[in-house]
Amino acid sequence: MSRVHNFNAGPAALPLPVLERAQREMVEFEGSGMSLLEHSHRGKVYEAVHNQAIALLRELVGIGDEYEILFLQGGASLQFAMLAMNLLHPGKSADYLLTGVWSKKALSEAKLLGKPRVAADTAKDGVYTRVPRQDELSLDPEAAYVHMTTNNTIFGTQWHYDPEVGSVPLLADMSSDFLWKPFDIKRYGMVYAGAQKNIGPSGLAVVVMRKDLIAAGRKDIPVILRYDTHAENQSLYNTPNTFAIYMVRNVLEHVKGMGGLAAVEKTNRAKAKVLYDAIDGDADFWRCPVEKDSRSTMNVVWRLPTEELEERFVKEATKAGFVGLKGHRSAGGIRASIYNAAPEESVAALVEFMAAFRKSC
Ligand SMILES: *Cc1c(COP(=O)(O)O)cnc(C)c1O
């Protein structure tokens, strides 16, 4: 077996022990005579996995009974539309903090449903190199909610503070940094994440939402798109992505085994430091366009002196066993996604490769 150094932005690296466990359990699950993939989503065998995933998430983050945990399909993208459909009642406005491609997509969906406002936008010529400061937010106290993207996967920026939004519910797309460290769920009305960056396979969205917000959702929208439908049915209203939820359960168990979110944060900060130090340490050659206090610990982006050199870097890196380093097509440059499951050894190997590449130029 030869596994590469995987820096994919999403779907992204998964912990090897989690993959190996799935392999072991694939054909016959826990002596039940069949694969979990073949089990009914309403049977006891699957039910135990489903409930364990929820319990582990509650335990790891510290999520109280005032929040519901939902497993939904359609990824984070469906949430852009669904949260606005449920919470943006006719005539109401909502505040959007624009920090990149994903937050703009969320705003576009809300525009089809109501009158959202842009309450902050740090773009310069269409490029985002930082998140806003608290004093740059122009918030409407009457807004139905404030929407933010905690980590900007494409531009490599990340919020390093929870914005103060008064009594308006704060909704956060945490797709690319969910569970990268402990966080205070009570500051949020809702957080959601496509699973494929930090916690599992694609096609599954994890939603953590305050019960009173679920209850206040519109009732005149399709049943399948109402949060209360999924809450009342424990995310089993329709057949969920049972295998993805099983994988998330395994990732969460793995995270718990590593010492929980505090331990995960420590490793993540160490990985990011190694990479940013390498970039900053040779500023004549590498250049990170992101302002220091907005730098992402999950998606590290940087440039080389020319696009030709960037192309050559990606090409030679690929040959040397480093995958996924080409920046997003809308941002260019290089991007290394170093989510929870990216091993420290991969980051160390990348930094070594960078030094050798630099010498060869
Ligand atoms: C990847 C990503 C999305 C989109 O997720 P899908 O599961 O493909 O819908 C949304 N928001 C952020 C911040 C992302 O990184």
Side-chain angles (χ1 to χ4, degrees):
M1 183 171 68
S2 83
R3 286 180 47 88
V4 295
H5 295 296
N6 184 354
F7 295 98
N8 276 339
L14 285 164
L16 184 57
V18 169
L19 295 173
E20 288 170 338
R21 176 179 182 181
Q23 184 184 44
R24 276 196 311 276
E25 295 182 340
M26 175 60 78
V27 175
E28 191 188 2
F29 185 73
E30 293 180 354
S32 66
M34 62 177 108
S35 171
L36 187 71
L37 285 161
E38 302 166 294
H39 270 281
S40 165
H41 61 299
R42 306 206 182 274
K44 287 231 172 327
V45 172
Y46 172 71
E47 190 186 32
V49 172
H50 188 92
N51 292 340
Q52 214 186 349
I54 294 171
L56 278 162
L57 198 52
R58 282 201 188 280
E59 180 187 340
L60 285 168
V61 179
I63 300 170
D65 271 347
E66 67 276 31
Y67 289 85
E68 199 74 57
I69 295 175
L70 305 175
F71 295 124
L72 305 178
Q73 288 158 73
S77 299
L78 180 60
Q79 293 310 305
F80 297 162
M82 197 166 156
L83 66 88
M85 286 180 105
N86 278 264
L87 301 177
L88 198 49
H89 288 259
K92 287 288 273 183
S93 170
D95 281 350
Y96 278 74
L97 312 181
L98 297 191
T99 51
V101 173
W102 296 112
S103 53
K104 282 192 191 164
K105 282 199 174 163
L107 172 68
S108 307
E109 295 288 44
K111 276 184 180 163
L112 297 169
L113 296 154
K115 291 198 175 64
R117 282 174 72 246
V118 174
D121 187 353
T122 47
K124 254 194 220 140
D125 305 324
V127 175
Y128 290 88
T129 57
R130 65 181 184 90
V131 303
R133 296 183 308 270
Q134 178 72 43
D135 65 16
E136 291 177 300
L137 313 182
S138 75
L139 298 169
D140 168 12
E142 299 296 315
Y145 57 82
V146 178
H147 183 276
M148 71 183 296
T149 312
T150 50
N151 182 73
N152 301 285
T153 326
I154 292 170
F155 289 106
T157 66
Q158 188 175 29
W159 291 73
H160 292 293
Y161 70 98
D162 296 315
E164 193 50 67
V165 296
S167 57
V168 176
L170 179 60
L171 316 186
D173 175 3
M174 293 192 173
S175 291
S176 52
D177 68 351
F178 189 53
L179 304 192
W180 85 274
K181 64 164 188 177
F183 71 99
D184 183 5
I185 187 68
K186 290 201 194 63
R187 298 195 63 107
Y188 299 89
M190 169 199 190
V191 306
Y192 63 97
Q196 71 273 23
K197 274 84 182 219
N198 245 342
I199 57 162
S202 59
L204 175 72
V206 177
V207 173
V208 184
M209 193 165 185
R210 237 167 51 205
K211 287 178 178 168
D212 63 304
L213 286 177
I214 292 177
R218 283 175 68 163
K219 309 286 185 263
D220 57 346
I221 56 175
V223 174
I224 185 73
L225 295 172
R226 285 166 49 176
Y227 290 111
D228 61 352
T229 301
H230 297 286
E232 280 159 20
N233 292 282
Q234 287 81 46
S235 303
L236 298 164
Y237 171 74
N238 63 317
T239 317
N241 186 340
T242 54
F243 189 71
I245 295 167
Y246 156 77
M247 288 297 284
V248 166
R249 191 279 309 257
N250 293 359
V251 168
L252 296 177
E253 219 164 66
H254 176 75
V255 166
K256 185 178 168 180
M258 284 171 57
L261 299 187
V264 168
E265 175 180 12
K266 212 170 144 215
T267 314
N268 281 332
R269 286 196 188 278
K271 285 187 296 189
K273 185 175 181 332
V274 166
L275 198 40
Y276 283 118
D277 281 354
I279 294 164
D280 293 340
D282 200 348
D284 291 338
F285 192 71
W286 318 106
R287 186 177 57 83
C288 173
V290 177
E291 292 188 19
K292 276 206 170 130
D293 54 6
S294 291
R295 285 179 173 183
S296 170
T297 53
M298 300 279 99
N299 310 97
V300 178
V301 299
W302 72 96
R303 308 297 309 235
L304 274 66
T306 65
E307 285 184 16
E308 289 68 44
L309 276 170
E310 288 170 347
E311 226 169 88
R312 195 181 126 199
F313 178 81
V314 170
K315 215 166 135 195
E316 290 184 17
T318 307
K319 247 193 250 155
F322 299 90
V323 169
L325 289 171
K326 193 171 161 51
H328 189 270
R329 59 190 181 281
S330 64
I334 312 295
R335 171 176 58 175
S337 297
I338 49 170
Y339 302 120
N340 288 3
E344 285 181 283
E345 302 80 64
S346 287
V347 177
L350 175 60
V351 165
E352 216 172 282
F353 173 80
M354 286 166 69
F357 181 85
R358 171 72 172 101
K359 266 201 203 122
S360 76
C361 289

